[in-house]
Amino acid sequence: MKFAKVKLFIVHILVLGTFLIVNQVTPSPGDTSGNGNPALLIIWILIPLLIFIVILWVHIFRMSSISTTFFIISIFGILVHLTVSIFYQKKELNEYREVIKIALIKREGVADAQYIQSITSGLDIHMNNQNFNINTYFMFVTFSILLAIIYTLWNTWKKRKNPELRIFYSLL
């Protein structure tokens, strides 16, 4: 189990590094961004890392004797954290749009609301610092824990429901 925790720590450092690198690719407010978002080439690595992190968490949960009650309380805590984090991100996005508006007014004398909306939505390069920051990193981590808890609970429930299939489920 100690080796799994070390691997988990290393993978979390890699994920944090990815978040910080993508965050730094954001152009300054009011600057033009060029052609596309080069960070899109980097962020795809987060999908297999998420899967690997969930597998490691599930392994750690299986080796520990954590009660179902603790898991259920943890799910509610994680859902509260994710909800608060989403509202915080929305607030930060609105403030960021204001910063861009002010920067455009200073540079060009006018700010087009439609342009600001278009560059601050989706995976535009201007959104890298909004989509990949410390808050969204912690959202990523808690989401991985949530997936691992749900999988562990589901697997436990299946084993209790069909005890004759324990050998099959132990292989998973």
Side-chain angles (χ1 to χ4, degrees), residues 4-19:
K5 289 179 182 179
V6 171
K7 284 194 289 189
L8 186 64
F9 178 74
I10 291 169
V11 174
H12 277 295
I13 296 297
L14 287 172
V15 170
L16 179 61
T18 304
F19 270 72

Side-chain angles (χ1 to χ4, degrees), residues 54-117:
V54 169
I55 291 168
L56 289 173
W57 277 117
V58 167
H59 178 71
I60 290 170
F61 291 157
R62 282 184 180 167
M63 297 296 132
S64 306
S65 57
I66 300 173
S67 70
T68 303
T69 306
F70 182 78
F71 277 146
I72 292 171
I73 291 169
S74 297
I75 287 173
F76 286 117
I78 289 171
L79 291 176
V80 167
H81 171 259
L82 291 175
T83 303
V84 169
S85 297
I86 288 169
F87 283 117
Y88 175 78
Q89 279 303 118
K90 286 182 160 256
K91 180 184 95 39
E92 287 295 310
L93 177 59
N94 289 334
E95 290 177 10
Y96 184 61
R97 285 181 175 146
E98 274 301 309
V99 168
I100 291 176
K101 180 180 173 183
I102 292 167
L104 287 174
I105 289 172
K106 283 182 181 177
R107 195 179 85 197
E108 299 173 8
V110 67
D112 181 14
Q114 187 176 8
Y115 172 72
I116 293 171
Q117 183 67 31

Side-chain angles (χ1 to χ4, degrees), residues 90-149:
K90 286 182 160 256
K91 180 184 95 39
E92 287 295 310
L93 177 59
N94 289 334
E95 290 177 10
Y96 184 61
R97 285 181 175 146
E98 274 301 309
V99 168
I100 291 176
K101 180 180 173 183
I102 292 167
L104 287 174
I105 289 172
K106 283 182 181 177
R107 195 179 85 197
E108 299 173 8
V110 67
D112 181 14
Q114 187 176 8
Y115 172 72
I116 293 171
Q117 183 67 31
S118 71
I119 67 169
T120 57
S121 58
L123 293 174
D124 192 272
I125 193 167
H126 290 277
M127 290 295 294
N128 286 346
N129 65 351
Q130 296 296 306
N131 293 331
F132 298 93
N133 54 45
I134 296 299
N135 182 48
T136 56
Y137 167 73
F138 284 118
M139 290 171 69
F140 183 90
V141 170
T142 54
F143 181 69
S144 69
I145 295 169
L146 177 67
L147 291 177
I149 289 172

